[in-house]
Amino acid sequence: MSELLIFCLLTSLKVTAIHVSCREGMIFFRPRVALGVLLYRMKLRILEKPLYDCLVCMSGFWGLVFWLIDGMNYHPVEVILIVAGINALFDQVIEEKPGLQ
């Protein structure tokens, strides 16, 4: 159980790093803008949130990616849900929201 939680926490930190590094002024901001334009032209803007725009939404896509890379001995749905929960807490801290909504 503790191995699962450690894996999920590390996955959550990786997802958070991707999200934060795509903000304005960060290293992946320009590629994010270029990808956003491409997704807009292809009428696939719905993919922005799970790829880089919403920390909780990113849990599904990136959680599955990191599960495939390193965590196949855990149940993928369990990993995604735990990572989403951790990311919801991180999102509150990053966005400096006054309380959980």
Side-chain angles (χ1 to χ4, degrees):
M1 181 66 153
S2 64
E3 289 179 17
L4 171 63
L5 292 176
I6 291 170
F7 174 77
C8 290
L9 180 61
L10 292 175
T11 299
S12 180
L13 289 170
K14 293 172 192 174
V15 172
T16 302
I18 293 168
H19 176 69
V20 170
S21 65
C22 289
R23 295 170 130 193
E24 188 171 355
M26 297 297 201
I27 192 164
F28 292 125
F29 179 70
R30 287 187 180 181
R32 170 195 171 176
V33 171
L35 182 59
V37 169
L38 179 65
L39 292 174
Y40 177 78
R41 288 183 181 163
M42 296 175 64
K43 296 182 178 17
L44 294 172
R45 288 199 64 203
I46 195 167
L47 296 178
E48 288 178 335
K49 285 189 175 190
L51 289 178
Y52 57 79
D53 203 31
C54 171
L55 192 54
V56 177
C57 304
M58 291 171 68
S59 304
F61 175 75
W62 291 106
L64 187 60
V65 167
F66 292 121
W67 175 80
L68 287 170
I69 291 171
D70 193 35
M72 294 184 85
N73 51 340
Y74 309 115
H75 196 281
V77 174
E78 191 174 29
V79 168
I80 290 169
L81 290 174
I82 293 170
V83 171
I86 296 169
N87 283 356
L89 296 173
F90 284 165
D91 189 47
Q92 295 296 312
V93 172
I94 291 170
E95 299 298 328
E96 297 181 53
K97 297 176 184 170
L100 295 174
Q101 299 169 351

